[in-house]
C-alpha cells in the first residue's frame, strides 16, 4: 500500500527511557572477549535501558505523552484518536490504550485501541492515525503512543546459553508519543506499508516459549525488500537528496543499518542512530533516534525526515514527513509507574504474612518472593529505613513495624489488633540467631486463634539450626488445635546465593553466569517456594515438618 494523506501534520515527538542503564561491557567476561567484540561490532549496542519491576508499557507511554501535550499546548479533550502500538501490553484485554487515555484525561469522543506490532510501529502507526484523522474536522488531534518494555536478564532454572545472553544484550525499553493534527493546506504525509505473511514466523514468540528469529532470513529481508522499497519510495514521490534532511531507520543492529545504507547509497551524515546508547528499542526506535539527535537536527527550524521501520510480521513501512524541530523533545528519563490498576493475582493473594527479620539478607529475599506471589506483607525488623526501602520497592500492599522499639509481645499485640484486608494466619520468622523468647511470644499470639488454620514457619541457616527440630516438635505439641501448624525450612548458605536488592542482583547474575549456572547456586526462590507450599497447603505438610533444602 502506497499513498499520500493530505492535510495532516506531525505536530511533535517525544521519547522516554527508564533510568536504569545496563553497560554491555559487564558481559565481556561471560561470553568471552572475542565473542563480545564480534557482538558489539555487529550490533553497535553498547548500552541499553531496562525497566524495573513496576514499570510497564503504559507508564513509558504516559511519561512521553504528558510533556508532549504540555509542549504543544493541547487540551486532552481535543484528541479524537489515540492508538497504542505495543508487543508488551499491560493486559490480555482491554487495550492498554484505554488506561493511557484515562491517565491523560482524554474525553469519550475519541477512538482508542491497541495495535500488536513491533519494529514497523512508527510508520504504520502514523499512517493509521493520519487515516483516521482525515475523516475529522480541521483542528482535530491524534496521538500515537508506542512502547515495549525489557526487563533485566531473567534467571531460568536451566543453564543459560551464551546465545541468550547475546540476544538480551541487544534490546532496551523505551516509549514514544507522536502528536498529529488535521490542518488546512498543503501539509501531508507520504507513506508505504507492506507485509510478507509467508514469513510470519521469521520472528515469533509463542505462548510459553522464548522468542525465536531466523537471523539469515531477516537479514536478507532487510537488505533486499526494505532497501529496494526505500529506493522505490523515493522514485515514486520524486524525492531527491535535496528533499531529505535525515534518514531514520529502525535500530535493528548496525550490520543491517550499514547494509541498507550502502545498498541505497545514502549519505552517512544524514543517518540518525541511537542503538549505541539505547540498543534496539523495537517499535520506538525511530522516535528514540529522532529525540536522541534533537541537538543535531535543531540546527534547522524544520526538518524533512524519511523514516522506515521493519521487522516482526514480516512487515515494513516508510513515511516521509516534516516537523518543527522546536516540538521535538529531548530524551526523557523516567522511573514513573502507575499502580492503581494492579491487583494481586498470585497464589498467595488472600494471605497476610508477617515476616520477622525482613531487613536481614534472607528475610528480604523471602519478602520479595512472597510479594511476587501476591501476599500482603507485614515487614518487621530492626532497621526502619531498610524496611521502608524494601516496602517502597514491592508492588502489593505492605506494612512496616520496627521491632527494636517495642518488645515482641507489644509488636504482636499491635499487629493482631490491626484490621488487615485478610486475617493474619501466617508468620515467617527469618532470624539470623536463635531467639526462643521471640518465637515463644509469636507462638502464644497465634495459638489464641482456634478457628482458622495458622502457620508458623521458622527459617534457619543449617549451621545455626541446632535443636531446631526439637523446638518445632515442642511447639507443635503445645498447639491448642490441629488447625495450627509449626514448620521450619533450613538452607545451606554455601549452596544458596542471595539476591537481597536490585543493586546486588546484577552482581549475583554475573557470578551465576560466570559459573555457568551451576545447580548448587540456587536462589532464595527455593526457600520462597517451600514457604509458599506451606502457606497454601498444597504440600499437605503436617505440623512438625522441617524442610531441608540440600540443593
Amino acid at each position: 500500500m502506497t499513498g499520500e494523506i493530505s492535510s495532516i501534520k506531525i505536530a511533535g515527538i517525544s521519547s522516554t527511557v527508564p533510568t536504569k542503564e545496563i553497560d554491555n561491557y559487564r558481559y565481556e567476561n561471560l561470553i568471552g572477549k572475542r565473542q563480545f567484540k564480534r557482538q558489539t561490532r555487529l550490533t553497535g549496542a553498547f548500552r541499553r535501558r531496562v525497566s524495573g519491576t513496576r514499570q510497564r508499557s503504559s507508564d513509558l507511554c504516559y511519561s512521553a505523552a504528558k510533556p508532549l501535550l504540555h509542549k504543544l499546548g493541547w487540551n486532552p479533550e481535543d484528541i479524537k484518536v489515540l492508538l497504542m502500538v505495543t508487543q508488551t501490553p499491560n493486559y490480555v484485554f482491554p487495550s492498554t490504550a484505554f488506561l493511557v487515555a484515562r491517565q491523560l484525561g482524554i474525553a469519550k469522543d475519541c477512538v482508542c485501541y491497541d495495535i500488536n506490532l513491533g519494529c514497523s510501529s512508527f510508520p504504520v502507526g502514523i499512517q493509521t492515525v493520519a487515516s483516521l484523522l482525515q475523516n475529522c474536522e480541521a483542528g482535530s488531534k491524534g496521538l500515537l503512543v508506542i512502547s515495549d518494555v525489557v526487563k533485566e536478564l531473567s534467571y531460568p532454572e536451566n543453564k543459560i546459553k551464551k546465545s541468550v545472553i547475546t540476544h538480551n544484550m541487544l534490546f532496551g525499553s523505551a516509549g514514544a508519543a507522536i502528536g498529529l493534527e488535521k490542518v488546512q493546506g498543503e501539509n501531508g504525509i507520504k507513506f508505504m506499508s507492506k507485509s510478507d505473511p509467508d514469513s510470519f514466523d521469521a520472528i515469533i514468540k509463542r505462548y510459553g516459549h522464548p522468542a525465536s528469529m531466523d537471523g539469515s532470513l531477516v537479514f536478507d529481508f532487510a537488505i533486499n525488500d526494505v532497501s529496494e522499497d526505500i529506493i522505490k519510495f523515493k522514485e515514486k514521490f520524486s524525492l531527491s537528496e535535496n528533499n531529505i534532511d535525515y534518514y531514520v531507520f529502525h535500530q535493528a543492529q548496525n550490520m543491517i543499518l550499514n547494509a541498507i545504507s550502502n545498498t541505497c547509497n545514502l549519505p552517512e551524515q544524514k543517518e540518525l542512530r541511537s542503538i549505541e546508547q539505547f540498543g534496539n528499542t523495537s517499535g520506538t526506535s525511530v522516535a528514540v533516534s529522532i529525540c536522541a539527535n534533537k541537538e543535531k537536527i535543531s540546527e534547522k527550524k524544520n526538518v524533512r525526515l524519511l523514516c522506515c521501520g521493519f521487522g516482526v510480521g514480516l512487515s515494513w513501512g516508510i513515511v516521509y514527513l516534516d516537523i518543527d524541530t522546536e516540538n521535538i523533545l529531548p530524551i526523557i528519563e523516567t522511573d514513573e509507574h502507575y499502580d492503581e490498576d494492579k491487583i494481586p493475582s498470585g497464589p498467595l493473594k488472600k494471605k497476610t504474612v508477617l515476616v520477622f527479620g525482613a531487613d536481614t539478607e534472607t528475610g528480604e529475599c523471602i519478602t520479595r518472593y512472597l510479594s511476587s506471589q501476591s501476599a500482603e506483607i507485614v515487614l518487621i525488623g530492626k532497621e526502619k529505613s531498610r524496611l521502608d526501602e524494601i516496602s517502597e520497592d514491592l508492588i502489593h500492599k505492605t506494612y512496616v513495624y520496627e521491632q527494636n522499639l517495642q518488645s515482641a509481645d507489644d509488636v504482636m499485640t499491635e499487629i493482631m489488633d490491626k484490621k488487615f484486608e485478610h486475617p493474619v494466619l501466617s508468620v515467617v520468622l527469618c532470624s539470623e540467631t536463635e531467639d526462643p523468647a521471640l518465637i515463644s511470644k509469636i507462638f502464644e499470639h497465634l495459638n489464641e486463634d482456634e478457628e482458622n488454620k495458622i502457620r508458623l514457619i521458622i527459617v534457619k541457616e543449617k549451621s545455626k539450626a541446632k535443636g531446631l527440630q526439637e523446638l518445632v516438635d515442642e511447639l507443635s505439641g503445645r498447639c491448642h488445635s490441629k488447625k495450627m501448624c509449626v514448620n521450619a525450612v533450613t538452607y545451606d548458605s554455601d549452596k544458596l546465593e542471595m539476591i537481597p536488592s536490585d543493586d546486588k542482583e546484577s552482581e549475583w547474575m554475573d557470578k551465576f553466569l560466570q559459573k555457568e549456572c551451576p545447580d548448587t547456586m540456587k536462589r532464595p526462590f527455593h526457600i520462597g517456594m517451600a514457604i509458599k507450599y506451606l502457606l497454601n497447603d498444597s504440600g499437605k505438610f503436617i505440623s512438625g515438618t522441617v524442610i531441608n533444602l540440600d540443593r
Side-chain angles (χ1 to χ4, degrees), residues 472-485:
V472 170
D473 289 340
E474 188 265 328
L475 291 174
S476 296
R478 289 165 47 193
C479 293
H480 292 165
S481 166
K482 291 183 179 180
K483 290 186 176 182
M484 181 171 181
C485 293

Side-chain angles (χ1 to χ4, degrees), residues 212-452:
S212 62
M213 179 175 73
D214 185 335
S216 59
L217 190 155
V218 173
F219 182 79
D220 289 343
F221 151 72
I223 64 172
N224 291 309
D225 296 73
V226 176
S227 297
E228 182 181 337
D229 279 331
I230 290 172
I231 295 170
K232 287 182 178 178
F233 184 87
K234 291 171 69 176
E235 291 174 350
K236 163 75 176 175
F237 295 108
S238 303
L239 296 173
S240 68
E241 288 303 323
N242 292 331
N243 304 122
I244 301 169
D245 294 313
Y246 295 103
Y247 295 89
V248 197
F249 300 149
H250 163 57
Q251 302 293 286
Q253 56 169 262
N254 269 351
M255 185 172 67
I256 289 178
L257 292 172
N258 293 339
I260 293 174
S261 183
N262 291 334
T263 304
C264 298
N265 195 26
L266 305 180
E268 185 179 342
Q269 69 274 15
K270 282 192 173 185
E271 257 198 274
L272 302 181
R273 296 194 185 184
S274 62
I275 192 165
E276 183 174 325
Q277 309 101 299
F278 303 108
N280 178 334
T281 51
S282 188
T284 65
S285 66
V286 171
V288 168
S289 297
I290 294 171
C291 295
N293 289 276
K294 156 78 173 175
E295 187 174 342
K296 178 179 179 179
I297 62 182
S298 290
E299 294 171 359
K300 298 185 176 185
K301 177 174 174 49
N302 275 74
V303 286
R304 296 159 299 175
L305 306 174
L306 190 147
C307 305
C308 177
F310 52 89
V312 173
L314 291 171
S315 66
W316 62 107
I318 305 170
V319 64
Y320 176 74
L321 49 90
D322 68 87
I323 182 171
D324 185 343
T325 56
E326 175 66 23
N327 294 328
I328 297 174
L329 278 62
I331 293 287
I332 300 164
E333 296 184 346
T334 178
D335 283 329
E336 190 173 13
H337 53 82
Y338 176 84
D339 297 330
E340 290 181 24
D341 66 315
K342 297 174 183 174
I343 61 170
S345 56
L348 301 182
K349 62 183 177 182
K350 293 185 178 180
K351 293 188 180 294
T352 298
V353 184
L354 311 187
V355 181
F356 278 83
D359 53 346
T360 64
E361 188 177 53
T362 310
E364 180 184 342
C365 294
I366 292 171
T367 296
R368 290 181 182 277
Y369 178 82
L370 296 179
S371 179
S372 75
Q373 303 299 302
S374 300
E376 184 179 43
I377 304 291
V378 181
L379 297 88
I380 307 162
K382 297 179 180 179
E383 294 185 30
K384 178 71 161 51
S385 59
R386 186 66 190 131
L387 294 172
D388 288 337
E389 186 180 336
I390 298 167
S391 177
E392 281 295 315
D393 197 39
L394 300 178
I395 296 175
H396 301 298
K397 189 177 291 184
T398 59
Y399 305 87
V400 170
Y401 287 88
E402 191 171 8
Q403 186 181 328
N404 61 349
L405 295 182
Q406 305 175 75
S407 68
D409 192 39
D410 291 338
V411 171
M412 284 302 297
T413 300
E414 184 176 344
I415 290 173
M416 299 305 279
D417 287 344
K418 185 174 178 62
K419 299 298 182 184
F420 296 102
E421 188 171 343
H422 305 289
V424 177
L425 306 177
S426 311
V427 175
V428 176
L429 182 65
C430 309
S431 181
E432 299 291 341
T433 58
E434 190 74 34
D435 190 349
L438 175 61
I439 295 174
S440 181
K441 287 296 181 185
I442 294 172
F443 177 81
E444 287 175 15
H445 281 274
L446 292 180
N447 211 14
E448 293 174 1
D449 192 328
E450 297 185 13
E451 297 181 3
N452 299 301

